[in-house]
Amino acid sequence: MSPSDGTVSNGPADAAGNPLAPQAAPDDSPLLTARGLRKSFGDNEVLRSIDLDVRRGEVVVLIGPSGSGKTTVLRSLNGLETPDGGTISFTGGPELDFATPLPKGARFALRDRSAMVFQQHNLFPHMTVLQNVVEGPIRVQGLPKARAVAEAEALLERVGLSEKRDAYPFELSGGQQQRVGIVRALALKPDLLLFDEPTSALDPELVGEVLSVIKELADAGWTMVVVTHELGFARQAAHEVLFMDGGVVVERGAPRDIFTKPTEERTRRFLDRILRPMD
């Protein structure tokens, strides 16, 4: 898949009226660079010198067994975890060096540029769908309420949830809740979308409706890092696939190479267990 030609958008939709359009045109410039990320929890070394480059308009998919460090990479990129070492930088922003104490609030520089979609939706149960979506733009970004509501309504319509704007999370299916989670992330207009196993908590019949939204975002040129076990999605949507195991990137490459001719034995064993029975 090649990223589509995007257009700069300062409102809820691009020139073609698509509210799922990214905020800037895809190009080959690096949006995010991470070097040497390390993280331990007690004696458990979860990340061991992870390097990652994400170009604007690119979809990077992280695959690997549970406990390989994939989620910790995402949480580090979003500032939810503080690495023990290494650096992270977004184009046009400061380089954060985790080898030394960071200035107060430095991690918020990461959250200003990215938005996370979690496994368990993480919606506020006491808020309606619309209130969940506009909370961040209004309270964090200072967007006027009328504009935040208009943009939220456009996004909800685009993912087929207009009629659910006044519903509460407990009134939604798991797939609907996750689509709200995606809309909530999009409403922040991030440079980078981070997805942490977005379908793992869903019943099998609901997985497709969520993956179709994420695939549409990929086709539209959004920059994304996705942790998933949905290897069919990775084959279709990813520009680059990273296979992680034991806190390291064992192998990286284009989907056609990783899935058809992996060079590392650990990658082959993982795919034999996960992918081959699905073919």
Side-chain angles (χ1 to χ4, degrees), residues 203-232:
D203 293 333
E205 65 268 22
L206 300 177
V207 169
E209 69 180 63
V210 173
L211 287 180
S212 67
V213 174
I214 302 173
K215 180 63 164 59
E216 184 176 352
L217 294 172
D219 290 341
W222 279 87
T223 310
M224 300 190 285
V225 180
V226 184
V227 170
T228 185
H229 287 297
E230 298 291 339
L231 301 188

Side-chain angles (χ1 to χ4, degrees), residues 87-184:
T87 63
I88 298 175
S89 61
F90 277 90
T91 298
E95 181 180 79
L96 302 184
D97 186 346
F98 298 99
T100 58
L102 295 177
K104 185 178 180 180
R107 285 187 299 169
F108 289 101
L110 300 178
R111 297 184 198 178
D112 286 344
R113 304 291 296 273
S114 64
M116 178 91 81
V117 178
F118 300 89
Q119 295 182 34
Q120 300 292 339
H121 325 310
N122 286 13
L123 301 178
F124 296 114
H126 62 290
M127 292 183 178
T128 66
V129 166
L130 184 64
Q131 289 169 338
N132 265 280
V133 175
V134 302
E135 176 76 4
I138 293 174
R139 294 191 178 275
V140 177
Q141 297 180 331
L143 201 67
K145 182 177 180 180
R147 180 174 173 182
V149 169
E151 295 186 2
E153 288 176 337
L155 287 167
L156 289 170
E157 181 178 6
R158 195 68 179 84
V159 301
L161 289 176
S162 288
E163 75 284 0
K164 300 294 185 181
R165 55 160 281 168
D166 296 320
Y168 288 88
F170 74 89
E171 299 176 295
L172 307 178
S173 70
Q176 290 171 333
Q177 290 185 50
Q178 193 60 296
R179 279 186 281 160
V180 174
I182 294 171
V183 167
R184 182 176 60 180

